[in-house]
Amino acid sequence: MKYITRTVWVISLISLFTDTASEMLYPIMPIYLKSIGFSIVLIGILEGFAEAVAGLSKGYFGKLSDQSARRVPFVQIGYAFSAISKPMMAVFVYPLWIFFARTVDRFGKGIRTGARDAILSDEASHETKGKVFGFHRSMDTFGAVLGPLLALLYLYFYPEDYITLFYIAFIPGILAVISSFYLKEKKSKHLNEQKSVAVFSFLNYWKESPVAYRKVVVGLLAFTLFNSSDVFLLLKAKQAGLNDMQVIGVYIFYNLIYALSAFPTGIIADKIGLKKMFIIGLSLFVIVYFGMGFTTNLYVIIGMFFIYGMYASATEGISKAWISNITLKKDTATAIGTYSGFQSIFTMLASSIAGFIWYKFGSSTTFFVTSIAISLVILYFIFLGSTYDKIIKEN
């Protein structure tokens, strides 16, 4: 465990606290919004707008972090924004205010993402990227287990008291901010000459980036385009006969498997190669979507969510570790921020496409189309060859 440094521990604890706060509200957010008068359409617009803000800001602030050769302030400010957004959601119920509060939360994610992942990358060697990113994903995802459990426990004793939950979620959010002050800025020898950063200047990185980066990100984004929201899997579980509590329970179970397997998966990925592990993850994804398309059996669906947790552990942290290995160190935050920005936009498109197919042709067709598309993405990565799993050496 010597490769899990003090800094990695601190970053991972910050993510654990923040995800606990966010996931505490995830199961009840749609219910709360509907209770204060939001329609399904308005909820969709809210989430789409918030994710668009997060996507665009990830690229900009990633570039700004590289340009200034600073990481810690972006992490601290980003997590602070997400923390204060929690009680803001409960203070007023006006739609404009809710839009503002939700945007503050996503804006915070945009500020911190590139800088945080660059810190993790700097703390690892090329041979330990999978372990470090995997450990962080494990800690982060434990928050996705603790949060919903705490929410369910509270709502068991205080049914429909949603507003108080927003204030309770502020506590782990504040713990994340406090933890961020234990991070120390490392001096960097990389400092770009340009002083200012235009809002969309991160897009120029696509032209300047290594060929390996572009090839890999094209494949990652093709996957994202057909990787719709987990809500569709939960809806399928609901169709199979699970009640609301069981659906939330299955979601917690998935996150628990993800959290437990992410670190061991990272260790294996460092041994067999990040690209190979990512392809294994995509293969598990295809199995899940084919299985969900065919079955309505409760036990099979639970088994699919177990495999889905394994898939997530083999792709989420691994993709960022892979990107950091095929880009120059001075551009790490820009590279990850640019990818994360495009990923946010493609995620919105994916859910729109899946929703349309579900509405027109039914749930089974949605899952079959997705699994076929991801099978083609797997072939793309296989034919990339070993060149794109190699390390870029810096001068």
Side-chain angles (χ1 to χ4, degrees), residues 207-233:
K207 291 183 259 186
E208 302 164 358
S209 62
V211 173
Y213 173 83
R214 295 196 295 270
K215 294 281 189 180
V216 169
V217 170
V218 164
L220 294 178
L221 292 178
F223 166 57
T224 304
L225 187 60
F226 290 93
N227 181 17
S228 55
S229 170
D230 294 342
V231 167
F232 290 98
L233 289 172

Side-chain angles (χ1 to χ4, degrees), residues 260-301:
L260 291 173
S261 59
F263 185 39
T265 298
I267 294 173
I268 297 170
D270 284 330
K271 293 181 179 179
I272 67 173
L274 299 174
K275 182 167 75 72
K276 287 181 182 177
M277 181 54 72
F278 192 81
I279 290 173
I280 290 172
L282 292 187
S283 301
L284 294 175
F285 181 94
V286 170
I287 290 171
V288 170
Y289 269 69
F290 261 124
M292 294 293 273
F294 275 112
T295 189
T296 56
N297 182 281
L298 172 63
Y299 298 105
V300 174
I301 285 176

Side-chain angles (χ1 to χ4, degrees), residues 106-379:
R106 296 293 85 190
F107 190 59
K109 187 174 181 64
I111 292 172
R112 68 180 182 256
T113 296
R116 180 201 65 198
D117 291 337
I119 290 175
L120 291 172
S121 179
D122 289 344
E123 289 296 309
S125 66
H126 291 299
E127 291 75 26
T128 62
K129 288 284 176 72
K131 300 181 186 72
V132 169
F133 277 88
F135 179 80
H136 173 259
R137 291 310 307 169
S138 281
M139 293 287 283
D140 182 276
T141 310
F142 269 121
V145 176
L146 291 175
L149 284 175
L150 290 171
L152 287 176
L153 182 64
Y154 180 81
L155 292 174
Y156 177 79
F157 292 103
Y158 304 96
E160 299 185 14
D161 185 12
Y162 304 125
I163 289 180
T164 305
L165 266 180
F166 284 90
Y167 292 114
I168 294 173
F170 185 52
I171 297 171
I174 284 296
L175 290 174
V177 175
I178 293 171
S179 300
S180 72
F181 287 98
Y182 287 91
L183 291 173
K184 295 179 180 178
E185 191 75 70
K186 288 186 176 181
K187 291 184 178 180
S188 175
K189 61 183 179 180
H190 302 293
L191 186 61
N192 296 323
E193 296 178 5
Q194 184 181 342
K195 298 295 181 183
S196 61
V197 177
V199 175
F200 295 103
S201 62
F202 69 92
L203 296 174
N204 293 329
Y205 180 70
W206 184 260
K207 291 183 259 186
E208 302 164 358
S209 62
V211 173
Y213 173 83
R214 295 196 295 270
K215 294 281 189 180
V216 169
V217 170
V218 164
L220 294 178
L221 292 178
F223 166 57
T224 304
L225 187 60
F226 290 93
N227 181 17
S228 55
S229 170
D230 294 342
V231 167
F232 290 98
L233 289 172
L234 297 176
L235 285 173
K236 180 68 175 180
K238 179 76 173 171
Q239 274 189 352
L242 276 68
N243 61 38
D244 290 343
M245 295 295 286
Q246 289 172 328
V247 169
I248 294 174
V250 164
Y251 178 71
I252 294 171
F253 172 68
Y254 146 69
N255 278 305
L256 179 62
I257 299 303
Y258 180 7
L260 291 173
S261 59
F263 185 39
T265 298
I267 294 173
I268 297 170
D270 284 330
K271 293 181 179 179
I272 67 173
L274 299 174
K275 182 167 75 72
K276 287 181 182 177
M277 181 54 72
F278 192 81
I279 290 173
I280 290 172
L282 292 187
S283 301
L284 294 175
F285 181 94
V286 170
I287 290 171
V288 170
Y289 269 69
F290 261 124
M292 294 293 273
F294 275 112
T295 189
T296 56
N297 182 281
L298 172 63
Y299 298 105
V300 174
I301 285 176
I302 292 172
M304 290 297 104
F305 273 95
F306 176 87
I307 298 173
Y308 197 64
M310 299 297 292
Y311 134 76
S313 69
T315 55
E316 293 285 340
I318 298 300
S319 61
K320 291 182 178 180
W322 189 5
I323 287 172
S324 71
N325 259 4
I326 56 174
T327 50
L328 298 177
K329 193 172 183 179
K330 67 182 180 67
D331 295 325
T332 302
T334 304
I336 293 177
T338 300
Y339 160 64
S340 298
F342 283 126
Q343 185 185 38
S344 295
I345 304 301
F346 276 58
T347 297
M348 285 194 302
L349 293 173
S351 294
S352 300
I353 293 169
F356 175 79
I357 296 173
W358 187 302
Y359 176 74
K360 283 287 187 181
F361 306 104
S363 60
S364 294
T365 304
T366 305
F367 290 108
F368 291 148
V369 169
T370 299
S371 55
I372 291 169
I374 303 309
S375 297
L376 295 176
V377 174
I378 291 173
L379 292 176

